[in-house]
Amino acid sequence: MEVKKKDNLKVEISEINKNISKFPFVDLSNENIPVDVLKEIPEEAAIFYKFVPINKQKNVLEVGMLSPDNLKAKEALRFITQRSGLETKIFAIDENGLKNILKQYRTFRGEVKEALYELEKELESEEKIKLIKRKERATEEATQKIITDTPVTKIVAVILKHAIEGKASDVHIEPVGNEVKVRFRVDGVLYTSLILPKEIQLSIISRIKILSDLKIDETRVPQDGRFHAVIDGNQIDFRVSTFPVSNGEKVVLRVLDSTSGIKSFEDLGLQGDNLKLLETSIENLFGMILITGPTGSGKTTTLYSILNKLNQESVNIVSLEDPVEYFVKGINQSQVRPEIEYTFASGLRHILRQDPDIIMVGEIRDKETAGLAIHAALTGHILLSTLHTNNVLGVVPRLIDMEIEQFLLPSSLNLAIAQRLIRRLCSDCKKEVIASAQITQIIKDEIDKLSPEQRKEFSWQEPFKIYQTVGCKTCGEKGTKGRIALYEMLKMTSQLEEIINKEATEIKIEEEFKRQGMITMKQDGIKKVLQGIISFEEMIKKVEGDQNI
């Protein structure tokens, strides 16, 4: 009973402190703080001074303090944040909240710190590192045992695990001065997640090279490889690229998670007329569907989604890729190897002898590949590929530049698609606002260009409501979570055939695009803005560049 009375007394005192403090109280007992916020205050300082980071918005760091009036703690906090140019906003917290946040330092950074400590103890001698560097002369079993036995394995595993949990598409491990920086690319943006000591750079890179079956002692030239790991019950593929830089090697790992890589058309962002047009086009028995857009615009993801839709027991699907990003059951996937003269063009010749129904070519890069693709489309095959042009209007002129006979295009090209990727707003924290007069006018101008039938999909009325990013623990304070594509499409018609045979300029093709009543990428973006899926500002930057809206 005595213990219970003391516990009750602690609770009462805590409640009194909450009420009398001039600083607002925040309950952190069940809160999770993102790693990039925790890193703003070192764990040692958090433990000693009893303050922890809560949130970061622009240049303001929100900090919870057990004793907000403690002058020494406030002075220490000022010293820590001044180095980063941050201002602070202080909240009062209780012991339960403090303990909860301190535990979180043992997640990402804590696991790595523990592994580094083990590594320091085990690698007092540099003999193991030297043995790793002599992999060519050692047996594979002995080298693998050295790598497996060291805590480097744990460090790499922690990095990969947190990359998957954070939905990263790429992991960058790069030497910077006397440190090694680990960055994750999430929704197209790179974030620094971890700083490692320079001394373990060789060990980390060697471990990844062993996994990828690359040459450990070769640091002068780039190398490419891949490996897979089972993380949280899912098999994840990693595509590895090493690159020599001035102070070592940089490694980039592309995360290829087949559970999230192949999406439905709706998840990609296809809707309305665009969705119907694509579904109709893939029902054709032959012809080309070409997807265009800059690097990183999601073209390959869209191709895989189309393949997945077409993947049936009754058809033979063969792909040529550089590299194979996702392994799909039921599809015969082959990776080109230019170093042995196995290119898209040479591979495409052999594919035509494999009795294919559907062919995917990763990219049409040259006139030889373009010519073979046209031939395949004309001889009863569905051919899917990508092309580098700025927009859908440039597809036909680009193929003509590759010396494709103009009269062949109307019979071979079914559909051209252009796309861009844009970040989705976090559904838990997005903020609804009334569109400004300038934004309202832009929206009205685009809606007015639509046909009466298409306007039915734009049922929103003034004042238009749009959404802005805020940031919360669900999205790691970014305000966005995941990405979605904006699309525009151009189908082959008799009018477009006439233009191609007479004067295939972008201006003439644009006239036909408007005549077809196609949805522009900007109009597709505005629809998604009004649906609350994306922000207006980012949409405008993606389709038009920075317009200072």
Side-chain angles (χ1 to χ4, degrees):
M1 291 299 294
E2 185 65 27
V3 173
K4 190 171 184 180
K5 285 181 180 178
K6 286 183 179 179
D7 288 342
N8 290 338
L9 183 60
K10 282 184 178 180
V11 173
E12 289 174 9
I13 292 172
S14 177
E15 290 298 325
I16 291 170
N17 287 337
K18 292 177 193 177
N19 294 329
I20 65 174
S21 175
K22 63 181 179 180
F23 297 94
F25 176 81
V26 59
D27 183 5
L28 298 179
S29 57
N30 294 308
E31 292 295 318
N32 290 316
I33 308 301
V35 174
D36 60 339
V37 176
L38 284 177
K39 73 177 183 180
E40 297 296 341
I41 294 179
E43 182 181 4
E44 295 77 7
I47 294 171
F48 185 81
Y49 292 106
K50 294 180 171 52
F51 53 55
V52 290
I54 301 173
N55 191 16
K56 182 181 175 184
Q57 294 185 343
K58 296 183 179 179
N59 67 328
V60 177
L61 182 68
E62 296 178 359
V63 179
M65 301 184 72
L66 189 62
S67 304
D69 292 319
N70 185 321
L71 295 179
K72 288 186 177 180
K74 291 171 77 171
E75 187 63 31
L77 178 62
R78 188 178 300 112
F79 175 77
I80 291 169
T81 54
Q82 276 181 346
R83 290 181 300 174
S84 305
L86 295 172
E87 298 177 7
T88 57
K89 183 177 180 182
I90 297 175
F91 294 84
I93 60 174
D94 58 18
E95 287 191 10
N96 288 334
L98 177 66
K99 289 178 181 177
N100 175 47
I101 306 307
L102 291 178
K103 286 180 184 177
Q104 294 176 33
Y105 277 97
R106 290 194 58 79
T107 55
F108 192 9
R109 288 173 176 271
E111 292 176 55
V112 173
K113 186 177 178 181
E114 182 181 335
L116 287 173
Y117 176 71
E118 293 174 21
L119 179 64
E120 185 178 349
K121 288 177 65 178
E122 288 199 22
L123 299 184
E124 292 174 356
S125 165
E126 293 187 356
E127 280 304 306
K128 292 184 178 182
I129 295 297
K130 291 177 181 177
L131 284 172
I132 292 172
K133 293 174 70 176
R134 294 200 299 268
K135 185 218 175 198
E136 297 286 329
R137 296 185 296 274
T139 66
E140 184 177 348
E141 293 80 7
T143 306
Q144 186 65 40
K145 186 177 186 304
I146 291 167
I147 295 295
T148 303
D149 285 349
T150 65
V152 169
T153 301
K154 185 175 180 180
I155 295 173
V156 173
V158 169
I159 291 172
L160 300 183
K161 178 174 178 288
H162 283 270
I164 298 301
E165 290 177 350
K167 305 295 184 185
S169 61
D170 301 86
V171 179
H172 291 236
I173 302 173
E174 49 199 352
V176 181
N178 295 320
E179 299 172 329
V180 178
K181 184 186 293 185
V182 179
R183 295 194 290 171
F184 293 163
R185 186 178 295 280
V186 182
D187 297 340
V189 180
L190 278 170
Y191 299 92
T192 299
S193 297
L194 186 66
I195 301 294
L196 297 170
K198 181 75 171 179
E199 302 82 65
I200 70 164
Q201 176 185 339
L202 176 61
S203 301
I204 293 288
I205 293 175
S206 295
R207 171 59 180 164
I208 294 172
K209 283 184 173 180
I210 285 287
L211 289 171
S212 312
D213 198 25
L214 301 178
K215 294 180 181 179
I216 289 179
D217 59 350
E218 179 57 83
T219 61
R220 300 164 299 172
V221 296
Q223 297 186 71
D224 294 313
R226 70 188 297 154
F227 66 93
H228 69 265
V230 177
I231 300 175
D232 294 333
N234 296 319
Q235 180 169 307
I236 311 296
D237 289 309
F238 295 90
R239 193 176 81 211
V240 179
S241 171
T242 69
F243 188 75
V245 292
S246 58
N247 53 349
E249 283 183 285
K250 175 177 178 177
V251 177
V252 175
L253 297 91
R254 168 63 60 88
V255 181
L256 304 171
D257 184 357
S258 59
T259 61
S260 61
I262 301 177
K263 301 179 179 179
S264 68
F265 289 166
E266 290 78 7
D267 288 339
L268 290 175
L270 284 158
Q271 51 184 256
D273 287 352
N274 285 338
L275 176 59
K276 293 174 186 174
L277 184 54
L278 179 57
E279 289 178 333
T280 301
S281 296
I282 64 176
E283 291 176 359
N284 290 333
L285 298 178
F286 64 91
M288 286 197 305
I289 296 177
L290 298 181
I291 304 176
T292 184
T295 301
S297 61
K299 300 187 296 295
T300 302
T301 301
T302 301
L303 281 179
Y304 274 111
S305 297
I306 296 172
L307 282 181
N308 194 50
K309 191 84 169 179
L310 294 170
N311 191 7
Q312 298 175 12
E313 182 67 26
S314 59
V315 296
N316 178 24
I317 303 177
V318 187
S319 75
L320 273 176
E321 304 175 50
D322 185 20
V324 175
E325 294 204 5
Y326 300 103
F327 293 105
V328 185
K329 186 178 180 180
I331 298 177
N332 304 286
Q333 297 171 267
S334 181
Q335 179 169 322
V336 300
R337 298 187 181 278
E339 67 273 13
I340 58 172
E341 298 183 0
Y342 180 43
T343 62
F344 283 126
S346 63
L348 195 47
R349 286 196 190 91
H350 289 286
I351 279 180
L352 293 174
R353 300 169 194 158
Q354 288 286 313
D355 186 31
D357 297 291
I358 300 165
I359 303 169
M360 185 185 96
V361 178
E363 183 184 346
I364 295 177
R365 298 174 178 172
D366 52 61
K367 65 179 182 181
E368 186 179 9
T369 307
L372 289 167
I374 293 289
H375 173 70
L378 288 171
T379 53
H381 305 92
I382 296 174
L383 188 131
L384 310 173
S385 190
T386 68
L387 197 66
H388 275 291
T389 65
N390 290 329
N391 51 46
V392 76
L393 307 177
V395 170
V396 170
R398 175 71 178 131
L399 291 171
I400 293 173
D401 287 344
M402 290 181 173
E403 300 180 16
I404 299 298
E405 295 287 350
Q406 293 178 222
F407 71 89
L408 295 176
L409 290 176
S411 303
S412 57
L413 179 62
N414 290 339
L415 184 68
I417 303 171
Q419 66 179 78
R420 299 287 187 278
L421 281 181
I422 187 167
R423 291 178 294 175
R424 285 178 180 266
L425 294 173
C426 174
S427 57
D428 288 350
C429 66
K430 61 185 178 183
K431 178 184 176 184
E432 183 182 270
V433 296
I434 301 298
S436 67
Q438 185 183 5
I439 292 175
T440 296
Q441 190 58 51
I442 292 172
I443 294 173
K444 287 175 64 177
D445 289 346
E446 292 302 318
I447 292 177
D448 288 344
K449 296 175 185 177
L450 297 169
S451 67
E453 189 66 27
Q454 290 170 334
R455 285 178 202 164
K456 292 177 182 178
E457 293 186 29
F458 287 75
S459 57
W460 298 272
Q461 302 294 326
E462 292 186 62
F464 295 121
K465 294 177 181 178
I466 61 175
Y467 293 81
Q468 295 179 341
T469 58
V470 177
C472 66
K473 64 181 182 181
T474 302
C475 59
E477 305 301 333
K478 298 189 297 291
T480 58
K481 192 173 182 181
R483 290 190 289 178
I484 194 170
L486 307 181
Y487 290 96
E488 63 183 20
M489 301 183 183
L490 178 67
K491 65 180 179 180
M492 184 58 63
T493 61
S494 57
Q495 291 87 346
L496 181 56
E497 178 179 356
E498 187 176 343
I499 290 170
I500 291 173
N501 290 326
K502 288 184 177 179
E503 188 182 1
T505 64
E506 287 198 19
I507 294 175
K508 290 291 184 181
I509 295 171
E510 184 177 11
E511 291 175 0
E512 169 59 14
F513 181 88
K514 292 176 180 178
R515 190 204 65 78
Q516 289 184 17
M518 296 291 100
I519 301 289
T520 67
M521 197 176 294
K522 187 175 181 180
Q523 290 165 344
D524 189 37
I526 284 175
K527 183 176 181 180
K528 291 181 171 78
V529 166
L530 295 176
Q531 290 172 333
I533 298 173
I534 59 177
S535 74
F536 181 88
E537 290 77 10
E538 187 174 0
M539 182 277 294
I540 285 292
K541 288 179 181 179
K542 282 288 183 181
V543 300
E544 292 188 354
D546 191 351
Q547 299 293 306
N548 297 315
I549 296 296

